[in-house]
Amino acid sequence: MKKGKKDNFENINLEIVFAGRSNVGKSSFIRELTGKKLRVGKRPGVTLKPYSICYSDMLVTDMPGFGFMSGVKDRKKDIVHDKIVRYFENNAKRIKFAVLIVDGPAFIDIADRWDARDEIPIDIEMFEFLNELNIDTIVAINKIDKIKSKDYEQTMNGIAERLGMSPPWKQWTDIIAPVSVKNGDIQSARNLIKNRLHEAKRDDLLKYI
């Protein structure tokens, strides 16, 4: 079900929201997770408004990508960013948890470049924003298949550290999930999602994941 002006979600008691930079693989991740085909495109910024799938009294929501959007003017980027912020603020009470998808191979380089300009890296800003709203957040580190094996632990530790979690990253496996959406390998994130639904006493929803 695509969320639109006429949709009535008054009976929704629980929501899972997927967020991340443009073209990081959010829509593909949801498709792999639920089997529902969402609009997926190679051009960054295809999703410009929240897109929700309804299961029973649960919503699974794909948020617009933040950051670079091909062919999108800066003013529109700001509008999309504001929509994302307002959506989380307005629906924080029903959002059970969020899944923040990040680009594993590029994360550290992008974060350090932003930091060098005395700016908060956008992925980190989103993670901190969700924490401020007390929204439980899973960090799905995508494209791990592109990280060389010799660099794997260092990269994962570096990502955890920049997100404010002391290395080694493996002590945070209740938050951090390495995945490769392209290869259909999302089991670590799927397990965390199922665990959170179980903890919420919503095993009835596990069949949709």
Side-chain angles (χ1 to χ4, degrees):
M1 178 186 296
K2 183 176 180 179
K3 185 172 182 179
K5 292 181 179 179
K6 295 182 180 180
D7 291 328
N8 185 349
F9 292 151
E10 290 180 358
N11 296 323
I12 295 300
N13 294 311
L14 182 151
E15 183 172 7
I16 306 171
V17 179
F18 292 79
R21 295 175 63 88
S22 300
N23 216 32
V24 77
K26 297 185 308 301
S27 300
S28 296
F29 184 101
I30 295 172
R31 182 177 59 189
E32 190 69 36
L33 181 72
T34 67
K36 293 286 186 179
K37 187 175 182 180
L38 302 182
R39 186 182 180 191
V40 179
K42 294 182 179 179
R43 183 171 63 84
V46 167
T47 305
L48 296 178
K49 59 183 179 179
Y51 185 106
S52 297
I53 306 169
C54 184
Y55 297 99
S56 182
D57 64 338
M58 175 180 72
L59 281 186
V60 173
T61 300
D62 181 16
M63 294 300 291
F66 48 78
F68 174 72
M69 297 179 190
S70 178
V72 178
K73 295 181 179 179
D74 288 341
R75 175 58 184 152
K76 194 164 187 179
K77 293 177 189 176
D78 291 339
I79 292 172
V80 171
H81 179 270
D82 290 344
K83 282 183 178 180
I84 295 171
V85 170
R86 284 198 302 272
Y87 189 91
F88 277 113
E89 290 176 339
N90 293 340
N91 299 291
K93 289 184 178 180
R94 79 177 184 199
I95 297 174
K96 187 64 182 175
F97 57 91
V99 179
L100 177 62
I101 302 177
V102 304
D103 186 326
F107 185 95
I108 293 175
D109 181 57
I110 293 172
D112 289 352
R113 278 193 278 117
W114 279 61
D115 189 58
R117 300 196 300 262
D118 290 324
E119 297 177 340
I120 300 175
I122 197 162
D123 289 306
I124 296 173
E125 181 182 30
M126 177 59 67
F127 184 68
E128 292 176 349
F129 171 67
L130 293 172
N131 285 330
E132 288 172 5
L133 292 178
N134 293 316
I135 295 176
D136 182 18
T137 304
I138 294 168
V139 180
I141 301 177
N142 192 20
K143 305 180 184 180
I144 59 165
D145 54 297
K146 294 185 178 181
I147 302 175
K148 294 180 180 179
S149 57
K150 66 181 181 65
D151 299 326
Y152 185 80
E153 291 299 320
Q154 183 178 355
T155 299
M156 295 294 289
N157 287 336
I159 294 172
E161 188 171 18
R162 284 160 180 78
L163 288 170
M165 292 176 274
S166 301
W169 73 272
K170 287 183 178 177
Q171 66 180 318
W172 302 103
T173 52
D174 59 329
I175 297 175
I176 295 176
V179 302
S180 173
V181 176
K182 182 179 179 181
N183 292 338
D185 179 12
I186 66 164
Q187 193 58 45
S188 59
R190 190 193 304 272
N191 289 341
L192 293 185
I193 291 170
K194 287 187 171 184
N195 287 343
R196 280 161 170 76
L197 289 175
H198 175 70
E199 289 168 1
K201 302 185 186 304
R202 294 305 309 269
D203 285 2
D204 58 301
L205 298 173
L206 295 178
K207 61 187 176 183
Y208 301 117
I209 302 301

